[in-house]
Amino acid sequence: MSNRPLRIAMVAPPWFELPPRAYGGIEAMCADLTDALVARGHDVTLIAAGRNGTRAQRMLRTYDVPQGPRLGEPLPEVWHTAAAGRLLDDLDVDVVHDHTLAGPLLARGRSVPTVVTTHGPLDGEPGDYYRQLGDSVHLVAISESQRSQALDLNWAGTVHNALRASDFPYRRDKEDWVFFLGRCTPDKGMHLAIDAALAAGREIKLAAKCSEPAEQAYFEAEIKPRLGRGVEWLGEVTGEHKKHLLARARCLLFPLQWEEPFGMVMIEAMVCGTPVVTLRRGSVPEVVLDGVTGLVRDNAAELPDAVEAVGSIDSRDCRNHVIEHFQPDTMAAGYEAVYRKVIAATTTAPAPLVPAPRREDMLPVA
C-alpha cells in the first residue's frame, strides 16, 4: 500500500464545472488536485456536475448542467450528495475525497475511509457539524490557522491549496495603481482597500463577484458611495483578463476582516510577480512572507504607508515563493500522504469489541 497507485474517488461540489470558467475556487482546487494525482500515477474517478475538463480517468456525472445559479439553495447539494452516494456504492476505490458540505454525512456507512477538505471557516455551526461526524471522516485543513480554530476535530493533516504557475503571466514592470480582487463582502474589506489606496494617492481597480443579495447590499452601502475619481469598479473579472490585471498592478490590496482559511487570490497575485499588502488575519502569515513577497500589517491605518513601501519588493521573489510552496504536485503529495495514512489506519484498526448480550436481554426463539 505504501507504494502502489491508489484508487481515489474525488467528489466535487455541484455548483461549477471542473475547471471552472470563472468563479469557483473549490472547483479549481479539485481540478488541479485531480490532474496532479493522475500525473503521480493514481487512478481518479471524478464525481461532479457538467463537463469534465480534468485528466481524471473517468467522470461520473450527477447534474448535466452545474447548479451555480442555485448556489445557496439546499436542494442541489443534497440531491448531488444522494446521487454521489449511489454512484460510490458501485465503485471499488481505496479512499473517497469529498469536497462538499453534505457528502460527509454518508461516510459512516462506508468500508473505505472518507477524507474531507474543510474549505470554509470552522467557528460556530460548521465546527459543530464536523464534531457530530466524529471519526467517520478524516479532515484536512487548508492552513494551520484554520486548523487551530478547532483543534479537537478528527484531523488527518494540513495541506495548502495550490495553482499551476504556468497558467499565470509574470510581469516585472508594474503600473502605478493597486488592485482589489475578491467577493463583494465586508469580510474581504473592499471599503478599506479603497480608503487606503486614496490615502496613499494611488488609483484602485476593484474586481469582485457581486451577484447575491448580501453582496449587492454591501456594494450599495459601502462601495457605491466611494466610486468616482481614482476608484474604478470592474465587476467580476475572469480568465485571462483577471490574470493580466493581477500582473499589471503595483500590488494586491487585501485588507481582510476575518480569519481567512487560505486566500487563493494572494498566491494568484504573487505568482504574477505582484506583492500583497494585507492584514495579519487567518492564513496570511502562512501564505505571504512579510517583507519578501508582500507587506503584512496589523491594522488598516498602516495600509497607506505599506502601499508606498511595497515598491521595494522584488517581483521575482513573489513568483518563486509560489513555485516553491504552492504548486499542484506539492499539494497532491500532501494529500497522497494523508490518503495512505488513513487507509493504513482503517485496514489495521482492530474490530470494535461488542459485549456479549446478557442472559436477561436475550429473547426466546419462537
Side-chain angles (χ1 to χ4, degrees):
M1 177 59 69
S2 62
N3 295 314
R4 76 162 174 83
L6 299 175
R7 298 163 300 173
I8 304 158
M10 189 74 63
V11 184
W15 310 115
F16 305 102
E17 60 191 13
L18 272 68
R21 299 180 189 272
Y23 185 78
I26 297 175
E27 288 81 1
M29 176 268 188
C30 287
D32 285 343
L33 177 58
T34 294
D35 289 350
L37 288 168
V38 172
R40 293 175 68 86
H42 301 295
D43 183 274
V44 181
T45 299
L46 176 65
I47 299 178
R51 71 176 180 93
N52 176 24
T54 75
R55 297 175 59 189
Q57 285 87 347
R58 66 200 63 80
M59 177 186 180
L60 302 178
R61 188 174 288 104
T62 55
Y63 284 101
D64 290 334
V65 177
Q67 299 297 295
R70 300 175 68 188
L71 184 63
E73 296 181 28
L75 188 57
E77 169 98 6
V78 175
W79 192 95
H80 175 74
T81 293
R86 178 177 53 81
L87 294 168
L88 286 166
D89 285 342
D90 297 326
L91 284 183
D92 184 15
V93 295
D94 299 306
V95 64
V96 175
H97 189 171
D98 203 315
H99 298 267
T100 70
L101 183 62
L105 291 169
L106 302 182
R108 197 173 298 278
R110 290 189 191 116
S111 59
V112 299
T114 298
V115 170
V116 175
T117 299
T118 55
H119 288 283
L122 295 175
D123 55 332
E125 286 188 336
D128 291 339
Y129 168 63
Y130 290 118
R131 288 185 185 93
Q132 293 294 330
L133 296 174
D135 61 3
S136 67
V137 294
H138 305 271
L139 303 179
V140 177
I142 56 176
S143 68
E144 292 296 342
S145 170
Q146 183 198 46
R147 184 168 173 168
S148 70
Q149 295 175 11
L151 290 172
D152 60 309
L153 297 181
N154 190 37
W155 294 112
T158 300
V159 182
H160 287 142
N161 288 336
L163 53 73
R164 287 189 290 249
S166 59
D167 289 349
F168 289 78
Y170 167 70
R171 176 166 167 166
R172 186 170 185 180
D173 297 326
K174 303 298 180 182
E175 298 176 13
D176 199 25
W177 49 269
V178 302
F179 192 36
F180 174 92
L181 176 64
R183 296 192 313 274
C184 192
T185 56
D187 56 17
K188 298 293 184 179
M190 193 194 311
H191 61 293
L192 296 176
I194 297 171
D195 295 346
L198 294 179
R202 294 295 196 298
E203 295 182 3
I204 184 170
K205 299 182 188 295
L206 311 168
K209 182 178 83 72
C210 189
S211 56
E212 298 176 37
E215 295 169 341
Q216 293 167 351
Y218 170 68
F219 177 85
E220 291 294 326
E222 297 290 347
I223 306 306
K224 190 174 181 179
R226 288 175 163 86
L227 298 181
R229 187 184 180 102
V231 183
E232 183 179 1
W233 171 252
L234 302 176
E236 185 174 0
V237 297
T238 61
E240 296 305 309
H241 185 202
K242 178 188 79 170
K243 295 173 184 177
H244 286 287
L245 285 167
L246 282 168
R248 290 163 50 200
R250 175 183 178 85
C251 67
L252 176 75
L253 190 47
F254 200 50
L256 288 168
Q257 296 299 291
W258 74 308
E259 304 310 310
E260 176 73 62
F262 185 77
M264 284 293 295
V265 66
M266 293 188 287
I267 62 173
E268 289 177 342
M270 291 187 296
V271 80
C272 294
T274 301
V276 178
V277 173
T278 185
L279 296 177
R280 202 180 310 276
R281 299 293 298 268
S283 65
V284 165
E286 298 174 53
V287 177
V288 179
L289 291 181
D290 187 24
V292 179
T293 69
L295 297 175
V296 181
R297 297 294 183 256
D298 293 312
N299 60 73
E302 299 175 272
L303 293 175
D305 287 342
V307 169
E308 181 62 32
V310 79
S312 63
I313 299 293
D314 191 325
S315 63
R316 294 169 296 187
D317 291 336
C318 297
R319 186 172 178 88
N320 289 339
H321 177 59
V322 176
I323 291 172
E324 291 171 11
H325 298 283
F326 302 106
Q327 284 289 278
D329 186 63
T330 303
M331 176 174 64
Y335 277 108
E336 180 183 330
V338 169
Y339 300 154
R340 296 193 187 278
K341 172 184 173 181
V342 301
I343 291 168
T346 301
T347 56
T348 59
L353 294 176
V354 179
R358 297 177 301 172
R359 184 177 185 85
E360 56 268 31
D361 293 333
M362 299 175 69
L363 297 176
V365 179

